[in-house]
Amino acid sequence: MSNNLTVIPGDEGSPVIIHVPHSSQLIPPAIRADLILTDEELADELNEATDTATDQIALTALAHVRARPTIVINDHSRLVIDPERFPDGDPAEAFGRGAVYTRACSGVQLRAEPYPRRAELIEAYFRPYSDAVTDAVENRLNACERAIVIDLHSYPEKPSGFEDAAAPRPPLCIGTDPQHTPPWLIDAARGAFSSLGEISENTPYCGTYVPLRYLGTDDRVSSVMIELRRDTYLTDPRTSNTGSIAQLGRNLATLIDAVSDRAADV
């Protein structure tokens, strides 16, 4: 455990890492002071931006797996830093949603532009987080010679201001990477979550998380993004449906077991 994230070690023989980067609403007071939103506006922003209860889904899966995965949970809101953006030159910088957001989901200003503390937040929050997740992947590579990241997210039923309003928004979106998401991993994700019905790939969100050290260079690292539409398991932006969380935990456990078995056979 660190000041930036919680790492729950799994069984030594499991190559799987569940990455939960956006489940927290925690913002340190010194960072909150720089956000140009009233408390009510910030509460609304957090409701829209937070992947609420995805940490609960990850933890629920532990009761159903044969081999426990490593779980990595970001302890801070993505409004502090977004650990899944590139620290420099991310395309989302064009609309204020890079590693340090300057725009809210609606497009209104969130921080001063340019933000004078950006480099400070990158050094204090982004890089230590990135290093810790990289270490978790390296640990699995050393133990299993494979690392399989399941990148767990959710998204609201209605599109945010920066999104393509015409893009399909099915109950499940699977995000992939051309090098790091093999077809068998996509098939495993589809099979595990088939009870949700309609499933898309890379819409409305695309890609999946791979630590920069391994991105595009190490085929031993596989990754798939699971994007759950929030109305499938939330009764309102802050309240989870207990039965739905339990079912999604079982779905996730099915995926964990499937990819663990596949890795053992390779």
Side-chain angles (χ1 to χ4, degrees), residues 183-195:
W184 65 262
L185 185 50
I186 299 172
D187 291 344
R190 283 185 171 273
F193 289 91
S194 60
S195 62

Side-chain angles (χ1 to χ4, degrees), residues 22 34 44 84 114 127 169 175 178 195 234 236 238 246 251:
H22 296 153
D34 286 348
D44 289 342
E84 297 218 283
R127 297 200 189 283
R169 303 180 77 80
S195 62
L234 297 180
D236 64 56
R238 290 176 179 261
N251 294 143

Side-chain angles (χ1 to χ4, degrees), residues 9 11 18 40 57 62 66 73 85-86 98 106 116 131 135 158 162 167 176 195 207 211 230 248 251 254 259:
D11 292 336
I18 309 300
E40 182 178 1
I57 295 169
L62 295 180
R66 293 193 298 273
I73 301 172
R85 304 297 192 199
F86 294 115
S106 64
D131 290 346
D135 289 346
K158 296 179 180 180
F162 60 89
T176 68
S195 62
R230 291 181 199 147
L248 289 171
N251 294 143
T254 298
V259 300

Side-chain angles (χ1 to χ4, degrees), residues 18 33 38 50 75 111 135 162-163 250 260:
I18 309 300
T38 66
T50 304
D75 291 336
R111 287 183 169 96
D135 289 346
F162 60 89
E163 296 180 299
R250 289 191 291 269
S260 297

Side-chain angles (χ1 to χ4, degrees), residues 89-235:
D90 193 287
E93 293 281 3
F95 46 91
R97 305 286 288 184
V100 179
Y101 296 167
T102 58
R103 294 279 165 172
C105 291
S106 64
V108 303
Q109 192 169 349
L110 178 69
R111 287 183 169 96
E113 295 177 325
Y115 179 54
R117 296 181 61 196
R118 183 186 188 280
E120 176 187 337
L121 295 193
I122 292 292
E123 291 304 317
Y125 293 94
F126 185 97
R127 297 200 189 283
Y129 184 96
S130 178
D131 290 346
V133 181
T134 300
D135 289 346
V137 171
E138 181 180 23
N139 181 279
R140 293 301 82 211
L141 290 174
N142 290 338
C144 305
E145 299 182 347
R146 293 291 300 274
I148 303 166
V149 178
I150 299 175
D151 191 26
L152 189 58
H153 294 258
S154 69
Y155 65 96
E157 185 177 8
K158 296 179 180 180
S160 297
F162 60 89
E163 296 180 299
D164 179 0
R169 303 180 77 80
L172 173 63
C173 162
I174 297 173
T176 68
D177 177 88
Q179 179 170 341
H180 294 280
T181 314
W184 65 262
L185 185 50
I186 299 172
D187 291 344
R190 283 185 171 273
F193 289 91
S194 60
S195 62
L196 289 177
E198 184 185 359
I199 298 172
S200 69
E201 292 180 27
N202 294 312
T203 182
Y205 292 94
C206 63
T208 186
Y209 182 74
V210 177
L212 289 174
R213 180 188 297 174
Y214 303 106
L215 182 62
T217 62
D218 196 330
D219 290 337
R220 297 175 302 161
V221 181
S222 301
S223 182
V224 66
M225 179 171 68
I226 300 296
E227 282 270 7
L228 299 162
R229 202 178 65 205
R230 291 181 199 147
D231 61 300
T232 63
Y233 70 92
L234 297 180
T235 57

